[in-house]
Amino acid sequence: MADKTELAIELKNISKSFGSVKANKNINLTLRKGEILALLGENGSGKTTLMNMLSGIYTPDSGSVFIDGQQVTISSPEDSVRLGIGMVHQHFKLVERFSAADNILIGAKNKGHFLLGKNRYKEIEDIADRFGFKIDAAKIVANMAVSEKQTLEILKVLYYGAKVIILDEPTAVLTVQEIKKLFDVLRKMKEEGHSIIIITHKLNEVMEISDRVAVLRKGEYIDTVETAKTNEKQLTELMVGRKIDLNIDHPRIEKTKPLLEIRNLSVNGDEGNLAVDKLSFYIRGGEVLGVAGIAGSGQKELCEAIAGLRKIKDGMIIHGGVNIAGLPPQKITEHGIAMSFIPEDRLGMGLAPSLSITDNVILKKYRKGKGPLVDRKTGRAEAQAIIKELDIVTPSTEIAVRKLSGGNVQKVLLGREIQSAPNVLITAYPVRGLDINSSYAIYDIINQQKLKGVGVMFVGEDLDVMMALCDKIMVICHGRLMGVVGTDKITKEEIGLMMTGVLNTVNAKEGKTAGIARDSALTAEEWEEGLEYAAERAYAEEDDASGERGRKAMTVARGRSTGSKRKEGADS
Amino acid sequence: MKGFHLVRRTNVKLWQRILFYVIGILVSLVIGAILLSTLDIDPIKYYRQMMTIGLIENKYPEKAIEGLLKIFVPLLIVSLALSLSYRMKFWNVGGEGEFIVGAIIAAVIAFKCSSLPGPLVILLMSLAAFIASGLIGLAVAFLKVKFNTNETLVTLMINYIALYVITYIADTKKSWNFFLDKESARPKFAKFPDPAKMPGIKIGNVNLLYSVIIALALGVIIYFYLKSTKQGYEISVVGDSTDTARYAGMNVGRIVMRTVFLSAALVGMAGAFSASTAATISTSITNNVGWTGVIVAWLSKLSTPGIAVVSLLISVLQYGCQAASVSYGSVDHNFADLLQGVILFSVLVADFALNFRIVRRKEADNV
Amino acid sequence: MSDLELITLFVFNIVVYSIPLLYGTCGEIITEKSGSLNLGVEGTMAVGAIIGYIAGCRSNSFLVAILVSFLAASLVGALFAFFTVTLQANQNVTGLTITTLGVALYFFIGKGLSGMGKWPVLSSSDKMVKGFKNIEIPGLSSIKFVGKAFFTHNILVYAGVVMAIVLWIYIEKTSMGLKLRAIGENPAAADSLGVNVNLYKYIHIMLGSGIMGIGGLYMGLNMSGSFEGSNCWINGYGWIAIALVIFANWSTLRAIGGTFVFGFFNTLIYYNGPLANQFPHALGWLTKIPSQFYSALPFIITLIVLILSSVRKNSSSGEPAAKGINYYREDR
């Protein structure tokens, strides 16, 4: 153990909950002076929450913080700045309409800055120069590229004399060259005596930049290791945990032909970045396809795109021989595709939290039935059936979903999706935040669906569960396919390596590209034609603001794939 | 507040809620009492006279009931209507303007179609007002959906534009201006022809206007509309989470436009009722109902039965102040506005006390 | 009188009638710059007006009148801040309630005092009368026509223009103004740099409200402090001020010009009817348009500005991006 005086920061027994969700459980962490510490962990492991407590955005429920050996209380960002902690948040905290200099000067403490003179640009540029940055201080943030904004954020932190610098996923938005530059900057800062925490999940970067690695898993502190004495394999193990044999049933039945085929799918994220990148895969009836990947690898965008909630940039989604890419969500539901996504706050997508269970159960079919009235009688009966079938603990069907406990909320959501008797069930993070028993109940539900011949796509966080539950696992990294593997033919470590982009098995098998079905509903020519049209459509939409040409091309693409279905029917 | 922070409280019990609100209202009344005593008015006597709205010690108590209902009907309808918009977080504060437009259009029908039979004229007046004001709401909603134009400010501007339109009509003595009394030398609004007057039925001594019955029926209809119809269901989902609404395949923009149309249209209809009841229009026809409606809708947490109760209470407050001003010349209806404001603020404080509690931060033992 | 003299008088009146708007508008601009949309301008001005006026008359001091109207109105502002910043209540509802409450309080006080025969008469307070008297600015006031139109006004006119300029410098050119604007644009950004967001909001909401209060006092004095039971001194100026904020594109400097334009319409209202024959003949056609049109014009223009700017989504707009949205740090 290092000498106490060498520690820039020491966290002891820090805990933080949001409602019933424990984001951090008794975490201990140390940061040595002048080191780069990588904070490693999967999605939802509590890294950002922990760091936000250092930056004063959250207040811990319990635990203590020591800076330079002194116990401190950080109850606001002001405290944090004063204590020499600076954080570069993943979502930049910049005023878009201000110049770079003004963004920095927001926090200025009035010494010699009562008036904002023209000389402030020069002054800021000089300071930037001293830290080794070249910036245009008069440039408006709205006109900046992402990397410029990040430089500005780092400069902001340095300007206020931060000794400890925290960077939350700084490389997520950068190109390879920019990452290299960033790392040079970090090394330089380290040489100058700064202590740095970098939140990341990219193992190669951890190995390259850090001195030590602290690992969190599911809100708990796991271990801290010296980077020089470890390797990617060990880190992956720490991050995902050792394989635990879970007693999850894994029934097997005859698989059908592919129900849902996705080819070359590209989808943009909220920031306009490419979130899903030319992804191809398929789901058969009677199988559970796991989707593994690190936080924000495009899982959410993929689910939303399939469900029709997000615009598709390029590619095709074939269901029942028809291209459903670009259809409205209602039409996709009618196709028998059900999607349930549990976001990090566990409410929101797909649920109206203030409405009753009944009202949430009827969400997708309230239009059914003649007349202007909502058929709540059937809805209530269905809600009752779901409550009974899934053992939902609730005083009645009429209670607001918000008031249920997490597990029960998730059962309501999943129950509704199952109730619509889908042939493809997409479920993302269905056990997020649940205890063991509730989780097992959810696994049972998924297995039952599989036995009914439904094709299930399971987007998960816990690799042990996925290894036990799924028939195949598709691994994505930055929206790109890293391979599709049978769970009986792969180790957890291999999946971990694929998740972090170290291992790619797409073309590992000779004569078979992962994600492309041999018995596809369409012929190779039809795929090619359809994709050509889809690409043309995407191109046209970028090209032509009115989208007129684009829409036309889409119709053609859709018409064609419909046509091919008919042809196939005639053949068989 | 170092070491302390706020934590959201869940599961507030109904009795706690009621208790907090009652305390809030009591505090408001005490504040009102202090203000009254500064004017050397005995608050207890004043409050008694106010709460009994002049029913006792009055030769014609039925007039008190009728007067109360004249305030209650527009307030109920407007609050219900505004609550429809607020349920979708659409800040329609254009109650005043929509009300005036409804009243003007109703007056046009009243003067121009007086040859038709009575009920038909009133039906036409209401319908025309409904559509005219509704279209204003629709236009504002369209701008919001399409361009994200700030609906609060747009509806605010419309209020004043409508106010000056009616002022113009009121002040302009010209041959085309059929709104004004031809006999009077000074510009003065003419009385509506008889068929355009709101009829009623006699119950005892009270002339119960049909508008009261319609307003109450409207309350019931809106209650069921929100609770049982597909459109009402859409409103609740969109109001709770637009993401979820989109996920369910709802066209959020269309639902917003439809609902705001309805919201503004009902306010316009209330304007037509008021015009028909008074058998004339005036520049002060709204009686601030567009503003009071916002307060009522908010006080009742947008619940339909709540609106019925709160608008009745506020009507009692307002009419009671009018009635009490007979004995207390220096205190008029503005005292009701004053109390209203204080009550709303007290209830906001009560809500905060109900929903949050202050928690002391735990420090872990130093090891 | 010659046309030129009439025009001079007309312009003089524009200034007289427009300055209260400048106070209201500047007060609202500084409030909105902190990210708060306060619809309570009318009520805030009413409270500042009546309390400041009474205090001034009672103490026979113009300075007391100004200070008290500022203080009373900023307390109303504190109420708005307490509900929207501390209790996170809806800004629209809080603002509207402030207006209802403020105007009601105005009438309650006015009627109460009148009823008891205690309403202070302006003429009985010589210092108040003197304080509000027109002052000729040496040199400038002797410029032909311009001097009469612009440089023979009461002290609050000059103070108002100076205030608008000072506020502009404060908001746009000082470090505190920078923090304020940052809060109005992105409170999380300001917060993360250790700016005390809530404190700033409180200070500027109260400062803005206080300025509105002085505008209210001006209006009362302009009506010679006579209380009428049916009409409030503010008479809708608070709402015009809110409209003017949009017209002035959230700049107190542009508010000076905007105030003059809106004041021009307002003045035309008075020239319709009894004053019509005193109107310069060359512009006589202006009085043919109904006065109500001029009353409505500020709102019509603002409506058009609102719609056009949202359709165009122009990026040079000074509208604070976080206006109307309450800030709570732990919101994710």
Side-chain angles (χ1 to χ4, degrees), chain C residues 235-248:
Chain C
N235 198 23
Y237 265 51
W239 298 112
I240 303 180
I242 291 175
L244 197 45
V245 171
I246 299 154
F247 186 70

mmCIF file with all atom_site columns, all heavy atoms in Angstrom, chain C residues 235-248:
data_model
loop_
_atom_site.group_PDB
_atom_site.id
_atom_site.type_symbol
_atom_site.label_atom_id
_atom_site.label_alt_id
_atom_site.label_comp_id
_atom_site.label_asym_id
_atom_site.label_entity_id
_atom_site.label_seq_id
_atom_site.pdbx_PDB_ins_code
_atom_site.Cartn_x
_atom_site.Cartn_y
_atom_site.Cartn_z
_atom_site.occupancy
_atom_site.B_iso_or_equiv
_atom_site.pdbx_formal_charge
_atom_site.auth_seq_id
_atom_site.auth_comp_id
_atom_site.auth_asym_id
_atom_site.auth_atom_id
_atom_site.pdbx_PDB_model_num
ATOM 1   N N   . ASN C 1 235 ? -51.707 49.419 -16.450 1.00 0.00 ? 235 ASN C N   1
ATOM 2   C CA  . ASN C 1 235 ? -52.564 49.399 -17.635 1.00 0.00 ? 235 ASN C CA  1
ATOM 3   C C   . ASN C 1 235 ? -52.003 48.581 -18.799 1.00 0.00 ? 235 ASN C C   1
ATOM 4   O O   . ASN C 1 235 ? -51.989 49.032 -19.936 1.00 0.00 ? 235 ASN C O   1
ATOM 5   C CB  . ASN C 1 235 ? -52.786 50.855 -18.071 1.00 0.00 ? 235 ASN C CB  1
ATOM 6   C CG  . ASN C 1 235 ? -53.988 50.962 -19.006 1.00 0.00 ? 235 ASN C CG  1
ATOM 7   O OD1 . ASN C 1 235 ? -54.850 50.086 -18.966 1.00 0.00 ? 235 ASN C OD1 1
ATOM 8   N ND2 . ASN C 1 235 ? -54.039 51.993 -19.811 1.00 0.00 ? 235 ASN C ND2 1
ATOM 9   N N   . GLY C 1 236 ? -51.502 47.402 -18.512 1.00 0.00 ? 236 GLY C N   1
ATOM 10  C CA  . GLY C 1 236 ? -51.052 46.521 -19.584 1.00 0.00 ? 236 GLY C CA  1
ATOM 11  C C   . GLY C 1 236 ? -49.618 46.747 -20.048 1.00 0.00 ? 236 GLY C C   1
ATOM 12  O O   . GLY C 1 236 ? -49.129 46.024 -20.911 1.00 0.00 ? 236 GLY C O   1
ATOM 13  N N   . TYR C 1 237 ? -48.928 47.760 -19.494 1.00 0.00 ? 237 TYR C N   1
ATOM 14  C CA  . TYR C 1 237 ? -47.550 48.011 -19.912 1.00 0.00 ? 237 TYR C CA  1
ATOM 15  C C   . TYR C 1 237 ? -46.640 46.824 -19.605 1.00 0.00 ? 237 TYR C C   1
ATOM 16  O O   . TYR C 1 237 ? -45.669 46.591 -20.306 1.00 0.00 ? 237 TYR C O   1
ATOM 17  C CB  . TYR C 1 237 ? -47.007 49.266 -19.218 1.00 0.00 ? 237 TYR C CB  1
ATOM 18  C CG  . TYR C 1 237 ? -47.137 50.516 -20.048 1.00 0.00 ? 237 TYR C CG  1
ATOM 19  C CD1 . TYR C 1 237 ? -48.365 50.851 -20.618 1.00 0.00 ? 237 TYR C CD1 1
ATOM 20  C CD2 . TYR C 1 237 ? -46.055 51.353 -20.277 1.00 0.00 ? 237 TYR C CD2 1
ATOM 21  C CE1 . TYR C 1 237 ? -48.495 52.001 -21.387 1.00 0.00 ? 237 TYR C CE1 1
ATOM 22  C CE2 . TYR C 1 237 ? -46.179 52.497 -21.045 1.00 0.00 ? 237 TYR C CE2 1
ATOM 23  C CZ  . TYR C 1 237 ? -47.395 52.825 -21.597 1.00 0.00 ? 237 TYR C CZ  1
ATOM 24  O OH  . TYR C 1 237 ? -47.507 53.945 -22.360 1.00 0.00 ? 237 TYR C OH  1
ATOM 25  N N   . GLY C 1 238 ? -46.960 46.108 -18.562 1.00 0.00 ? 238 GLY C N   1
ATOM 26  C CA  . GLY C 1 238 ? -46.147 44.945 -18.205 1.00 0.00 ? 238 GLY C CA  1
ATOM 27  C C   . GLY C 1 238 ? -46.154 43.903 -19.313 1.00 0.00 ? 238 GLY C C   1
ATOM 28  O O   . GLY C 1 238 ? -45.129 43.295 -19.633 1.00 0.00 ? 238 GLY C O   1
ATOM 29  N N   . TRP C 1 239 ? -47.316 43.732 -19.918 1.00 0.00 ? 239 TRP C N   1
ATOM 30  C CA  . TRP C 1 239 ? -47.400 42.748 -21.002 1.00 0.00 ? 239 TRP C CA  1
ATOM 31  C C   . TRP C 1 239 ? -46.679 43.244 -22.238 1.00 0.00 ? 239 TRP C C   1
ATOM 32  O O   . TRP C 1 239 ? -46.037 42.483 -22.950 1.00 0.00 ? 239 TRP C O   1
ATOM 33  C CB  . TRP C 1 239 ? -48.864 42.437 -21.316 1.00 0.00 ? 239 TRP C CB  1
ATOM 34  C CG  . TRP C 1 239 ? -49.576 41.839 -20.151 1.00 0.00 ? 239 TRP C CG  1
ATOM 35  C CD1 . TRP C 1 239 ? -50.567 42.410 -19.410 1.00 0.00 ? 239 TRP C CD1 1
ATOM 36  C CD2 . TRP C 1 239 ? -49.347 40.556 -19.570 1.00 0.00 ? 239 TRP C CD2 1
ATOM 37  N NE1 . TRP C 1 239 ? -50.962 41.568 -18.418 1.00 0.00 ? 239 TRP C NE1 1
ATOM 38  C CE2 . TRP C 1 239 ? -50.238 40.421 -18.489 1.00 0.00 ? 239 TRP C CE2 1
ATOM 39  C CE3 . TRP C 1 239 ? -48.465 39.509 -19.851 1.00 0.00 ? 239 TRP C CE3 1
ATOM 40  C CZ2 . TRP C 1 239 ? -50.278 39.284 -17.689 1.00 0.00 ? 239 TRP C CZ2 1
ATOM 41  C CZ3 . TRP C 1 239 ? -48.505 38.369 -19.057 1.00 0.00 ? 239 TRP C CZ3 1
ATOM 42  C CH2 . TRP C 1 239 ? -49.402 38.276 -17.990 1.00 0.00 ? 239 TRP C CH2 1
ATOM 43  N N   . ILE C 1 240 ? -46.807 44.568 -22.497 1.00 0.00 ? 240 ILE C N   1
ATOM 44  C CA  . ILE C 1 240 ? -46.076 45.113 -23.647 1.00 0.00 ? 240 ILE C CA  1
ATOM 45  C C   . ILE C 1 240 ? -44.578 44.934 -23.418 1.00 0.00 ? 240 ILE C C   1
ATOM 46  O O   . ILE C 1 240 ? -43.835 44.617 -24.344 1.00 0.00 ? 240 ILE C O   1
ATOM 47  C CB  . ILE C 1 240 ? -46.409 46.603 -23.868 1.00 0.00 ? 240 ILE C CB  1
ATOM 48  C CG1 . ILE C 1 240 ? -47.922 46.783 -24.053 1.00 0.00 ? 240 ILE C CG1 1
ATOM 49  C CG2 . ILE C 1 240 ? -45.674 47.144 -25.087 1.00 0.00 ? 240 ILE C CG2 1
ATOM 50  C CD1 . ILE C 1 240 ? -48.361 48.218 -24.279 1.00 0.00 ? 240 ILE C CD1 1
ATOM 51  N N   . ALA C 1 241 ? -44.146 45.098 -22.173 1.00 0.00 ? 241 ALA C N   1
ATOM 52  C CA  . ALA C 1 241 ? -42.721 44.936 -21.865 1.00 0.00 ? 241 ALA C CA  1
ATOM 53  C C   . ALA C 1 241 ? -42.261 43.517 -22.216 1.00 0.00 ? 241 ALA C C   1
ATOM 54  O O   . ALA C 1 241 ? -41.182 43.326 -22.781 1.00 0.00 ? 241 ALA C O   1
ATOM 55  C CB  . ALA C 1 241 ? -42.461 45.242 -20.395 1.00 0.00 ? 241 ALA C CB  1
ATOM 56  N N   . ILE C 1 242 ? -43.106 42.526 -21.889 1.00 0.00 ? 242 ILE C N   1
ATOM 57  C CA  . ILE C 1 242 ? -42.737 41.143 -22.210 1.00 0.00 ? 242 ILE C CA  1
ATOM 58  C C   . ILE C 1 242 ? -42.611 40.978 -23.728 1.00 0.00 ? 242 ILE C C   1
ATOM 59  O O   . ILE C 1 242 ? -41.691 40.340 -24.233 1.00 0.00 ? 242 ILE C O   1
ATOM 60  C CB  . ILE C 1 242 ? -43.777 40.166 -21.630 1.00 0.00 ? 242 ILE C CB  1
ATOM 61  C CG1 . ILE C 1 242 ? -43.684 40.172 -20.103 1.00 0.00 ? 242 ILE C CG1 1
ATOM 62  C CG2 . ILE C 1 242 ? -43.567 38.761 -22.177 1.00 0.00 ? 242 ILE C CG2 1
ATOM 63  C CD1 . ILE C 1 242 ? -44.748 39.348 -19.424 1.00 0.00 ? 242 ILE C CD1 1
ATOM 64  N N   . ALA C 1 243 ? -43.551 41.610 -24.442 1.00 0.00 ? 243 ALA C N   1
ATOM 65  C CA  . ALA C 1 243 ? -43.493 41.550 -25.906 1.00 0.00 ? 243 ALA C CA  1
ATOM 66  C C   . ALA C 1 243 ? -42.223 42.243 -26.409 1.00 0.00 ? 243 ALA C C   1
ATOM 67  O O   . ALA C 1 243 ? -41.544 41.750 -27.311 1.00 0.00 ? 243 ALA C O   1
ATOM 68  C CB  . ALA C 1 243 ? -44.733 42.206 -26.503 1.00 0.00 ? 243 ALA C CB  1
ATOM 69  N N   . LEU C 1 244 ? -41.913 43.370 -25.776 1.00 0.00 ? 244 LEU C N   1
ATOM 70  C CA  . LEU C 1 244 ? -40.772 44.164 -26.219 1.00 0.00 ? 244 LEU C CA  1
ATOM 71  C C   . LEU C 1 244 ? -39.443 43.418 -26.059 1.00 0.00 ? 244 LEU C C   1
ATOM 72  O O   . LEU C 1 244 ? -38.517 43.623 -26.840 1.00 0.00 ? 244 LEU C O   1
ATOM 73  C CB  . LEU C 1 244 ? -40.752 45.469 -25.413 1.00 0.00 ? 244 LEU C CB  1
ATOM 74  C CG  . LEU C 1 244 ? -39.914 46.632 -25.918 1.00 0.00 ? 244 LEU C CG  1
ATOM 75  C CD1 . LEU C 1 244 ? -40.104 46.846 -27.400 1.00 0.00 ? 244 LEU C CD1 1
ATOM 76  C CD2 . LEU C 1 244 ? -40.310 47.899 -25.166 1.00 0.00 ? 244 LEU C CD2 1
ATOM 77  N N   . VAL C 1 245 ? -39.379 42.552 -25.071 1.00 0.00 ? 245 VAL C N   1
ATOM 78  C CA  . VAL C 1 245 ? -38.160 41.759 -24.872 1.00 0.00 ? 245 VAL C CA  1
ATOM 79  C C   . VAL C 1 245 ? -37.843 40.979 -26.150 1.00 0.00 ? 245 VAL C C   1
ATOM 80  O O   . VAL C 1 245 ? -36.698 40.915 -26.591 1.00 0.00 ? 245 VAL C O   1
ATOM 81  C CB  . VAL C 1 245 ? -38.333 40.787 -23.683 1.00 0.00 ? 245 VAL C CB  1
ATOM 82  C CG1 . VAL C 1 245 ? -37.163 39.820 -23.616 1.00 0.00 ? 245 VAL C CG1 1
ATOM 83  C CG2 . VAL C 1 245 ? -38.463 41.552 -22.388 1.00 0.00 ? 245 VAL C CG2 1
ATOM 84  N N   . ILE C 1 246 ? -38.881 40.422 -26.728 1.00 0.00 ? 246 ILE C N   1
ATOM 85  C CA  . ILE C 1 246 ? -38.698 39.638 -27.951 1.00 0.00 ? 246 ILE C CA  1
ATOM 86  C C   . ILE C 1 246 ? -38.305 40.565 -29.109 1.00 0.00 ? 246 ILE C C   1
ATOM 87  O O   . ILE C 1 246 ? -37.389 40.289 -29.869 1.00 0.00 ? 246 ILE C O   1
ATOM 88  C CB  . ILE C 1 246 ? -39.987 38.870 -28.271 1.00 0.00 ? 246 ILE C CB  1
ATOM 89  C CG1 . ILE C 1 246 ? -40.321 37.916 -27.124 1.00 0.00 ? 246 ILE C CG1 1
ATOM 90  C CG2 . ILE C 1 246 ? -39.867 38.118 -29.586 1.00 0.00 ? 246 ILE C CG2 1
ATOM 91  C CD1 . ILE C 1 246 ? -41.781 37.603 -27.013 1.00 0.00 ? 246 ILE C CD1 1
ATOM 92  N N   . PHE C 1 247 ? -39.018 41.688 -29.188 1.00 0.00 ? 247 PHE C N   1
ATOM 93  C CA  . PHE C 1 247 ? -38.742 42.655 -30.254 1.00 0.00 ? 247 PHE C CA  1
ATOM 94  C C   . PHE C 1 247 ? -37.305 43.167 -30.146 1.00 0.00 ? 247 PHE C C   1
ATOM 95  O O   . PHE C 1 247 ? -36.637 43.382 -31.153 1.00 0.00 ? 247 PHE C O   1
ATOM 96  C CB  . PHE C 1 247 ? -39.746 43.812 -30.154 1.00 0.00 ? 247 PHE C CB  1
ATOM 97  C CG  . PHE C 1 247 ? -39.658 44.789 -31.284 1.00 0.00 ? 247 PHE C CG  1
ATOM 98  C CD1 . PHE C 1 247 ? -40.055 44.435 -32.571 1.00 0.00 ? 247 PHE C CD1 1
ATOM 99  C CD2 . PHE C 1 247 ? -39.198 46.079 -31.075 1.00 0.00 ? 247 PHE C CD2 1
ATOM 100 C CE1 . PHE C 1 247 ? -39.983 45.337 -33.618 1.00 0.00 ? 247 PHE C CE1 1
ATOM 101 C CE2 . PHE C 1 247 ? -39.117 46.989 -32.122 1.00 0.00 ? 247 PHE C CE2 1
ATOM 102 C CZ  . PHE C 1 247 ? -39.509 46.620 -33.398 1.00 0.00 ? 247 PHE C CZ  1
ATOM 103 N N   . ALA C 1 248 ? -36.845 43.382 -28.922 1.00 0.00 ? 248 ALA C N   1
ATOM 104 C CA  . ALA C 1 248 ? -35.495 43.908 -28.710 1.00 0.00 ? 248 ALA C CA  1
ATOM 105 C C   . ALA C 1 248 ? -34.449 42.809 -28.773 1.00 0.00 ? 248 ALA C C   1
ATOM 106 O O   . ALA C 1 248 ? -33.263 43.068 -28.549 1.00 0.00 ? 248 ALA C O   1
ATOM 107 C CB  . ALA C 1 248 ? -35.413 44.612 -27.362 1.00 0.00 ? 248 ALA C CB  1
#
